[in-house]
Structure formats: structure tokens, C-alpha cells
Amino acid sequence: MKIVLQNLTKAFPSRNKKSNEEVIAVNNFNFEIPDGKLIGLLGPSGCGKSTTLYMISGLQKPTSGRIFFGDDDVTELSTENRGIGLVFQNYALYPHMTVKQNIMFPLQNLKGEDKLTKEQMLERAYQAAKLVQIEQLLDRKPSELSGGQQQRVAIARALVKMPRVLLLDEPLSNLDARLRLQTREEIRRIQQETKITTVFVTHDQEEAMSISDMIVVMKAGIVQQIGKPQDVYDDPANLFVAKFLGTPPINVFDGQVKDGKLYIGSDEVLEFSGVADQAVTVGIRPEGFVLSENGALKCKPVNVEVMGRDVSVVATHDASQNPFVRSIIDADNKVDTGSEYVRYNIKPHKIFIFNKETEERIYFEVK
Ligand code: ADP
Ligand code: MG
């Protein structure tokens, strides 16, 4: 089931009594979510992710714009009639019910020709439990389960009605780091097995990058970029997206374009064409640095952090906007932190330049 969001907008009245300015939580969102794909909706807290998800679910009504499931306009349809499964950050299970009863719960309200017998409900609950691998836990109460198991119950409950669309709002945030990893792989597996079109909301870029077919990066209600995770990482549309994706984060410098050359401070780091002389903001991915005796970018080394196969060199540069410049290089390279400079050449496809005011990407051709 493809989902089409058409000029989707949500404005809330101001919470601040003194100002009447409304909050545009989601601003003119246009996107066609392909059938059977997992979409990661990504951005910092307050950027409008949940509001978007609630509009898709019908829990919130758009101020303007339309929502289609396939060819059906569902904008006015109630949540119950949309055929969706919802999972939230807090598992919201009924504490007095067993796992089985919790999973079966959504089936008990089915009416008319959808009505199921007790045996059919039990079978459906069992199949949903099996999908999330908790079929041995059906007779337990939620209090007898770990956080990860509780979240699986919540996912099984969302799947039991065989929804057309699965909507997940920060479903892993309450889990510890290891469970988070494991559960996100589970969600990916379940999604690929069931082929249910899924929207996965998270503020965690690594999470979104690792499980999504496509990511949508949002900022202040406005979609910044949509694409395959690797494409967005390799080709960010603006400084916000470049900074939001990647660990360690991108290194940001004040730069200057002059006569087809890019300068960071007085270091001439790249020669290109197609860009007029101007002050720019420069982003360099940590993996974009190549150690070289005569390297163009001269940084002062501070520390070397060993990370197994790679090392991270921490250094400083006067034109850096952050306290430290972080590069990731092969552990075979030796860096002497006692020396005056560590010098790098920069891989041209790992360096991006942005307009100083608009922060939009400026594209160049490497000579
Ligand atoms: P996210 O899920 O990305 O953290 P939300 O969609 O929850 O963001 O919120 C987006 C913006 O809308 C925020 O500024 C938030 O304060 C505002 N907002 C969300 N819900 C309401 C509401 N019911 N009333 C007023 N403002 C709201
Ligand atoms: Mg939210």
C-alpha cells in the first residue's frame, strides 16, 4: 500500500498566551511513500515527526492537505477505519492482561463480517507472537517481561489486525543500547517478511540510516531531504543535513573561495571550477582526511583515539567551527601527537561547501 502525503500541513494554536503566533508543526509535506518500503522519518526533537505520523494515523487532523492510502483519500477517515498498526515509545500494554490477551485485544472489537471466533483470534495472536519471537511468553503478564519483550508484544499487537500500514513512533527509545540494536534488526526483518509499508520515526540518525529504505530528514516542520540513507549521507542538500548525519559528525570550517581555489584559513585545500569568489562554510567528513607529509590542511594534533581497525585523530585548526577536528584513518598510520602539525589531503568527494547565509549546498566540479 503506497501512502501519498499531499501538501500536508498542521498548525497548532500558540501555547504562549501572550503571542498569538501559531506553531506550524508540519509545513507543506509532499511525499509518496512507495508500497512495501520502510521509511525513516528523522530529525531533532520538535521538528514535526510525531505530528506527521499522527496525521497519517488519523489521531490528528491536518490543517490542510490530503493523505491517500493507495488511491483512497483517507484524510477524513477515523483511525479505526484506516487499517493501521501503531507502536509508541512506551509500550502501553494492559498490565492486568496476559501477553496473549494483550495481543488479542484489538481483534475483540471486530464487527460484522470481520468478526472472528475465539479459535481464530488465538491463532492470529499466536502467529503475531511468533513473528516477533515471543510465542513462549504468551501466558505471562507484562510486568514479568523485559523492556525489549514488552516492546515486541506491542509490535505483535499492532500486527495482529494485519494492518495495511505500520506506524512506529520512537519505538526503541526506552530500550538499553544492546536491546535497541537487536530490536531494530527485528523490526527490519519483520517488515521485510510482511512487506507492510512502514513509517519509522526516530531522532537517532544511526538508527534511521541502518534500517530504512529511504529517510526523510526534517527540520522545524520542513522536509530538508528525502533519499536512500547512503545517498543523503554522500550528497547532503544543506549544512543541516550534513551535520545531522554521521558519527563522528562532519567537521565544519570557515572557508573562502578565491580564483577557483578553496581555502581553509590560509591552507589551500582544493582546486575546482564553477564557484564564484565568496566566503563559504566547509564540511569535511571524518573519513575524508588522508594523512600526507605535504598535505594541504595543517592541523595541530591533540590526541589519538584507537578504535580497533581505525584510529581517530583529534586535532585543532584556527578556522574550525568546532573545538576539535576529528579524522578517521587506518590504524596502520602512525601519528605523532608531539609534532607541531598533522597534515592532510582531502578526498574531494568528502568535502562539501555551503552558502554562508542560506546554508544551501554549493556544487563544484573538481579539476
Ligand atoms: P517531534 O515528534 O519531531 O519531536 P512533534 O511533532 O511532537 O515533534 O512537535 C512538533 C511541534 O509542534 C513542536 O513545536 C511541538 O511543540 C508542537 N506541538 C505538537 N503537538 C502540539 C499540540 N497538541 N499543541 C500545540 N503544539 C504542539
Ligand atoms: Mg515525537
Side-chain angles (χ1 to χ4, degrees), residues 12-15 23-26 43-52 54 60 169-170 201 218:
F12 290 110
S14 168
R15 279 173 173 161
V23 178
I24 314 286
V26 178
S45 173
C47 73
K49 306 180 295 293
S50 294
T51 305
T52 304
Y54 295 165
Q60 262 167 8
D169 193 356
E170 313 246 8
V201 162
M218 288 181 83

Side-chain angles (χ1 to χ4, degrees), residues 64-327:
S64 59
R66 313 297 311 170
I67 300 165
F68 298 84
F69 285 4
D71 294 326
D72 303 337
D73 186 335
V74 300
T75 316
E76 306 297 330
L77 211 59
S78 70
T79 301
E80 300 81 65
N81 294 320
R82 286 194 190 190
I84 53 154
L86 264 173
V87 179
F88 297 103
Q89 173 177 346
N90 55 343
Y91 332 116
L93 303 176
Y94 300 106
H96 58 285
M97 292 186 191
T98 63
V99 167
K100 185 164 44 189
Q101 289 166 333
N102 264 287
I103 298 175
M104 267 166 44
F105 190 78
L107 299 177
Q108 289 173 347
N109 302 320
L110 295 177
K111 301 217 168 61
E113 57 188 60
D114 293 334
K115 198 170 165 56
L116 300 176
T117 65
K118 187 82 195 286
E119 281 67 45
Q120 287 171 321
M121 283 193 242
L122 280 170
E123 176 58 20
R124 287 271 284 274
Y126 180 76
Q127 290 305 333
K130 216 171 142 189
L131 197 59
V132 299
Q133 298 177 341
I134 51 160
E135 69 271 25
Q136 321 82 350
L137 308 175
L138 286 170
D139 295 319
R140 292 207 197 164
K141 293 271 177 63
S143 60
E144 298 165 325
L145 302 177
S146 71
Q149 290 168 332
Q150 290 187 49
Q151 193 55 300
R152 283 163 195 243
V153 177
I155 296 169
R157 189 177 54 184
L159 292 171
V160 77
K161 272 171 103 174
M162 303 183 177
R164 305 192 283 176
V165 172
L166 184 61
L167 305 172
L168 307 151
D169 193 356
E170 313 246 8
L172 309 179
S173 301
N174 282 356
L175 306 180
D176 64 48
R178 236 191 59 199
L179 260 179
R180 203 150 60 219
L181 256 168
Q182 195 187 341
T183 313
R184 87 180 185 209
E185 281 158 18
E186 281 290 275
I187 290 175
R188 185 57 172 155
R189 175 185 63 77
I190 293 162
Q191 195 274 329
Q192 288 184 329
E193 271 177 44
T194 58
K195 296 267 187 299
I196 300 177
T197 309
T198 300
V199 183
F200 183 105
V201 162
T202 177
H203 63 273
D204 181 333
Q205 57 91 21
E206 201 190 323
E207 199 167 282
M209 298 268 285
S210 66
I211 71 167
S212 309
D213 293 306
M214 289 178 97
I215 56 171
V216 177
V217 185
M218 288 181 83
K219 176 192 168 192
I222 299 172
V223 172
Q224 304 292 303
Q225 194 168 0
I226 300 178
K228 290 185 185 154
Q230 191 68 46
D231 292 349
V232 178
Y233 180 84
D234 288 339
D235 207 4
N238 59 40
L239 183 61
F240 175 83
V241 174
K243 280 169 135 175
F244 202 74
L245 300 185
T247 32
I250 196 163
N251 298 282
V252 183
F253 302 87
D254 296 317
Q256 190 75 40
V257 177
K258 200 162 182 292
D259 301 330
K261 293 182 177 118
L262 175 64
Y263 294 88
I264 293 177
S266 55
D267 301 341
E268 182 200 319
V269 293
L270 202 62
E271 232 179 315
F272 51 46
S273 55
V275 186
D277 290 0
Q278 61 191 293
V280 292
T281 302
V282 183
I284 305 176
R285 293 278 183 215
E287 69 276 21
F289 297 85
V290 181
L291 273 180
S292 167
E293 239 172 79
N294 303 312
L297 188 72
K298 284 156 66 182
C299 299
K300 295 197 171 78
V302 175
N303 191 16
V304 176
E305 292 171 7
V306 181
M307 310 188 300
R309 194 163 48 90
D310 298 324
V311 294
S312 170
V313 181
V314 182
T316 61
H317 191 287
D318 285 344
S320 172
Q321 290 186 7
N322 317 102
F324 298 108
V325 177
R326 248 173 214 285
S327 68

